[in-house]
Amino acid sequence: MKYLVVSDNHSDREILVDLKNEFENQVDLFLHCGDSELPDTDPLWETFQVVCGNCDYGGGFPNERIVKTSLDTIYMTHGHLADVRFGVTKLGLKAQQADASIALFGHTHQIACEKVGNRLFLNPGSISQPRGQIQIKSFAIIESTPEQWAIQYYDRSFHKVPELAFVFTR
């Protein structure tokens, strides 16, 4: 299974359209970790599974989402309600309650990818406004197999970022 994970596009609708057009025949799921700033009636949400960010207004998106695939249970939230700026403890407890193998979040605009216990934690960074030491407008693709998760980060031009590739055994 392949999951495309994006977050924090902040009103840049065109990049989501471009991602959909470029990857719709290459990935199984499109996952958006919030702060799209787009209306909940946008047709893009027929493709992307989305959660509410602190800059999403209107109340149409859920604060968290659990997505089940044949290989994974994915817990998604934007991160502001889980205090991810201070670590992933609260996020991890929510993911544990959901029995999730993957926890996805945004909010910080910073790339993050680590395995804690048997759970993968991933922040795709921001596709529009990166922060922190890695100044790349980014998204990630997780390739999930029964044996491992292979994560590849991409820049806004859809080029792989070679130094941002990770493999974790399950």
Side-chain angles (χ1 to χ4, degrees):
M1 300 284 298
K2 285 188 180 180
Y3 318 128
L4 186 148
V5 187
V6 65
S7 191
D8 295 282
N9 59 293
H10 290 284
S11 297
D12 184 352
R13 184 180 189 280
E14 196 57 39
I15 190 61
L16 298 183
V17 171
D18 293 346
L19 283 169
K20 177 185 177 286
N21 291 340
E22 180 74 18
F23 290 97
E24 65 187 334
N25 296 318
Q26 298 177 45
V27 300
D28 300 296
L29 281 174
F30 287 86
L31 304 166
H32 193 295
C33 295
D35 274 0
S36 70
E37 297 185 47
L38 300 176
D40 60 2
T41 55
D42 194 299
L44 280 170
W45 308 132
E46 295 170 16
T47 300
F48 287 86
Q49 299 202 39
V50 63
V51 293
C52 187
N54 59 299
C55 294
D56 291 320
Y57 305 104
F61 302 126
N63 287 325
E64 58 187 8
R65 183 181 294 269
I66 298 168
V67 180
K68 294 187 183 249
T69 73
S70 60
L71 291 172
D72 297 290
T73 297
I74 301 167
Y75 175 81
M76 293 174 55
T77 192
H78 182 58
H80 62 299
L81 300 175
D83 299 323
V84 296
R85 289 195 191 280
F86 305 105
V88 296
T89 301
K90 203 174 198 182
L91 175 66
L93 291 171
K94 290 283 202 176
Q96 182 179 5
Q97 288 175 341
D99 197 26
S101 51
I102 299 175
L104 303 177
F105 64 104
H107 188 55
T108 64
H109 294 221
Q110 296 181 41
I111 290 169
C113 182
E114 66 178 322
K115 182 182 167 198
V116 179
N118 293 322
R119 187 167 293 118
L120 174 67
F121 289 82
L122 185 136
N123 185 327
S126 172
I127 194 69
S128 296
Q129 301 170 5
R131 293 183 189 144
Q133 292 182 332
I134 302 173
Q135 289 292 306
I136 297 171
K137 296 176 180 180
S138 61
F139 66 97
I141 294 180
I142 302 169
E143 186 169 356
S144 180
T145 68
E147 297 80 32
Q148 68 183 25
W149 294 295
I151 296 93
Q152 177 64 62
Y153 282 86
Y154 292 78
D155 66 22
R156 193 177 164 100
S157 300
F158 311 146
H159 296 112
K160 291 180 180 179
V161 181
E163 62 272 21
L164 295 175
F166 308 93
V167 176
F168 299 100
T169 58
R170 287 183 175 263

